[in-house]
């Protein structure tokens, strides 16, 4: 059991090192040597878990779709909001997530590995479909197209914010995006009870991690 736990930790160290290097330099410029240097482990240990840079990139992308901090809410629309706010809060703080975006917008990496955007779209579609069944969405709203357009908007907001000389806080930007989008999607009785505050994500994540620790 101890050996298995060490192997899991070692694999995670390599994934985190690769994510940092991919995020900082892009896929093409990243090298096995730079990943090894960042990880502080041996080449033999790396090849026990990953046979190539390509496998490392796939491993990083596989870790990208997570909903850490998400808890059941009275409204499914609130869960949809929470996923987006949590991702916006975690992205600048977690190279694994940031690297997945970098790999997704890199034309060469995208041609090799695809992206995780379809998974985020599917997750949003599932939540919005249930929200509509519960009467939380206006009649004209199509869950699949709404989820797809929102993932595109979220990604665009993130890329534009990142490119600015003084990048605005991503959580605040996504909070503002919801203020524009939700009035055209949520029924008034639900809309008035949704929390889109940029401070919500930090609180949710802290509560979630506190519950796990206890």
């Amino acid at each position: 059991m101890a050996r298995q736990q060490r192997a899991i930790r070692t694999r995670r160290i390599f994934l985190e090192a690769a994510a940092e290097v991919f995020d900082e330099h892009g896929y093409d410029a990243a090298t096995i040597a730079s990943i090894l240097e960042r990880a502080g482990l041996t080449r033999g240990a790396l090849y026990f878990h990953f046979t190539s840079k390509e496998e490392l990139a796939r491993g990083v992308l596989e870790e990208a779709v997570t909903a850490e901090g998400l808890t059941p809410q009275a409204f499914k629309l609130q869960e949809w909001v929470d996923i987006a706010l949590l991702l916006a809060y975690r992205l600048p703080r977690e190279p694994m997530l940031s690297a997945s975006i970098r790999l997704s917008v890199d034309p060469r990496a995208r041609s090799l590995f695809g992206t995780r955007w379809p998974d985020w779209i599917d997750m949003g579609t599932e939540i919005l479909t249930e929200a509509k069944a519960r009467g939380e969405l206006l009649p004209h709203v199509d869950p699949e197209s709404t989820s797809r357009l929102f993932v595109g908007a979220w990604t665009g907001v993130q890329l534009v914010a990142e490119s600015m000389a003084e990048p605005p806080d991503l959580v605040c930007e996504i909070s503002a995006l919801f203020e524009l989008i939700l009035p055209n999607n949520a029924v008034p009785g639900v809309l008035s009870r949704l929390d889109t505050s940029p401070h919500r994500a930090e609180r949710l994540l802290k509560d979630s991690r506190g519950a796990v620790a206890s």
Side-chain angles (χ1 to χ4, degrees):
M1 183 63 70
R3 182 178 299 177
Q4 183 181 15
Q5 290 300 318
R6 283 198 300 273
I8 292 171
R9 285 197 299 271
T10 299
R11 186 179 189 278
R12 186 71 186 184
I13 289 170
F14 281 124
L15 283 175
E16 291 178 349
E20 291 175 4
V21 174
F22 290 147
D23 193 35
E24 293 170 13
H25 304 291
Y27 177 75
D28 276 343
T31 64
I32 290 293
S34 60
I35 293 169
L36 284 170
E37 182 179 1
R38 187 68 58 94
L41 297 171
T42 67
R43 189 174 294 267
L46 171 65
Y47 287 135
F48 179 81
H49 295 279
F50 303 97
T51 61
S52 63
K53 184 174 75 169
E54 290 83 353
E55 279 199 7
L56 280 162
R58 292 184 191 279
V60 169
L61 285 168
E62 285 172 4
E63 296 283 330
V65 182
T66 63
E68 184 183 0
L70 184 67
T71 56
Q73 301 293 323
F75 297 113
K76 296 305 288 187
L77 269 182
Q78 184 65 67
E79 293 179 22
W80 185 55
V81 169
D82 289 349
I83 287 173
L85 291 176
L86 283 162
L87 183 60
Y89 179 81
R90 291 172 58 203
L91 189 78
R93 297 165 174 82
E94 299 181 24
M96 194 80 71
L97 293 174
S98 185
S100 72
I101 299 292
R102 181 75 180 261
L103 290 170
S104 295
V105 299
D106 182 305
R108 173 165 164 73
R110 189 167 65 242
S111 69
L112 289 171
F113 316 116
T115 73
R116 298 312 301 271
W117 288 326
D119 301 286
W120 285 111
I121 292 169
D122 288 346
M123 184 184 295
T125 299
E126 182 178 346
I127 291 174
L128 291 175
T129 297
E130 188 170 348
K132 188 164 188 177
R134 293 185 179 192
E136 298 175 18
L137 292 175
L138 295 169
H140 71 274
V141 177
D142 176 67
E144 184 177 2
S145 61
T146 300
S147 181
R148 183 180 66 251
L149 290 169
F150 181 76
V151 169
W154 192 105
T155 305
V157 168
Q158 186 268 329
L159 292 174
V160 170
E162 183 181 59
S163 70
M164 299 180 71
E166 295 184 9
D169 184 73
L170 183 57
V171 185
C172 292
E173 295 291 280
I174 298 303
S175 174
L177 179 63
F178 273 122
E179 293 299 313
L180 293 173
I181 289 175
L182 285 172
N184 194 47
N185 289 274
V187 298
V190 172
L191 178 64
S192 64
R193 297 172 65 183
L194 296 177
D195 182 0
T196 60
S197 164
H199 305 294
R200 179 175 174 81
E202 183 178 9
R203 185 170 65 252
L204 285 171
L205 200 58
K206 187 178 296 183
D207 289 346
S208 172
R209 290 174 176 173
V212 171
S214 62

